[in-house]
Amino acid sequence: MSKKVAILATHGFEESELSSPKQHIEQQGWTAHIVSPESGSIKSWSGKDWGKSYDVDKTIDEVSASDYDALVLPGGVINPDILRINEDALKLIKAFFEQKKPVAAICHGPWSLINAGVVEGRKVTSVKSVSTDLKNAGAIWSDEEVVVDNGLVTSRTPEDLPAFNKKLVEEINEGKHSMQHA
């Protein structure tokens, strides 16, 4: 069965953390939409400099969580720092949790989850620099390649992308989750 996945990002996302999950989703025969606060295209961050631009498929105000089977939040430092203060982005993230749909966040991506108020009591991982923020928000942080907690998939860095992508697909195939704390 065909699935649709939203990848929420804006300028300064880590290129591999968007391109790799997007490619993996499309390899399943599924649709991946890049959703952003702005239309047109958004510029990636690659290594130590700006990278390629990616076309935005839909703006946040054109979509709702009910349009998609899952949500992916790539990292990069600039991207989640902008998204975590965007009320529309936070509402969209919350809606995926309310609808018990899989959400996957990598590297600095979990920053947005903190501001959306959805990490308390959840098992997560992230890039180390975000670990204190997550712990302060009530998350149970551990330094692992990939952590799955009732449909929430988190990973640390681009090196973890193979495990992240695999778990993302598993969670999407499982469908809705209870989202209850363990």
Side-chain angles (χ1 to χ4, degrees):
M1 197 173 105
S2 189
K3 307 274 187 184
K4 272 173 77 174
V5 180
I7 303 173
L8 180 59
T10 188
H11 298 286
F13 61 90
E14 178 59 45
E15 185 168 8
S16 63
E17 294 170 4
L18 184 147
S19 62
S20 174
K22 185 176 193 300
Q23 188 178 11
H24 198 74
I25 290 160
E26 289 167 347
Q27 283 168 351
Q28 314 305 311
W30 301 342
T31 303
H33 281 165
I34 297 175
V35 177
S36 184
E38 55 272 296
S39 58
S41 65
I42 52 175
K43 207 165 181 53
S44 69
W45 188 262
S46 185
K48 298 189 183 333
D49 206 350
W50 291 100
K52 291 193 307 201
S53 287
Y54 285 72
D55 289 335
V56 172
D57 296 299
K58 303 268 184 185
T59 56
I60 292 175
D61 59 2
E62 293 176 315
V63 302
S64 72
S66 53
D67 299 335
Y68 296 97
D69 296 290
L71 175 66
V72 176
L73 299 167
V77 179
I78 303 163
N79 163 59
D81 201 43
I82 295 169
L83 290 177
R84 69 183 177 154
I85 56 168
N86 180 308
E87 285 306 317
D88 292 332
L90 297 178
K91 277 187 201 134
L92 183 64
I93 293 166
K94 278 182 200 160
F96 274 90
F97 279 85
E98 285 160 6
Q99 293 178 26
K100 301 173 179 18
K101 292 179 176 178
V103 174
I106 186 166
C107 202
H108 291 80
W111 255 349
S112 301
L113 299 176
I114 294 168
N115 289 43
V118 294
V119 297
E120 191 172 350
R122 304 298 294 263
K123 294 189 195 90
V124 297
T125 192
S126 66
V127 66
K128 258 205 173 66
S129 61
V130 180
S131 64
T132 301
D133 297 343
L134 284 161
K135 289 174 195 166
N136 288 342
I140 303 150
W141 189 88
S142 60
D143 187 6
E144 294 176 65
E145 180 179 57
V146 63
V147 173
V148 181
D149 183 342
N150 282 314
L152 174 60
V153 179
T154 50
S155 283
R156 300 169 302 190
T157 64
E159 286 74 52
D160 299 332
L161 279 163
F164 179 76
N165 291 339
K166 183 171 176 266
K167 285 295 180 191
L168 168 64
V169 166
E170 276 177 30
E171 294 303 300
I172 293 169
N173 278 323
E174 284 176 23
K176 292 191 176 190
H177 290 70
S178 68
M179 295 290 184
Q180 297 303 311
H181 305 311

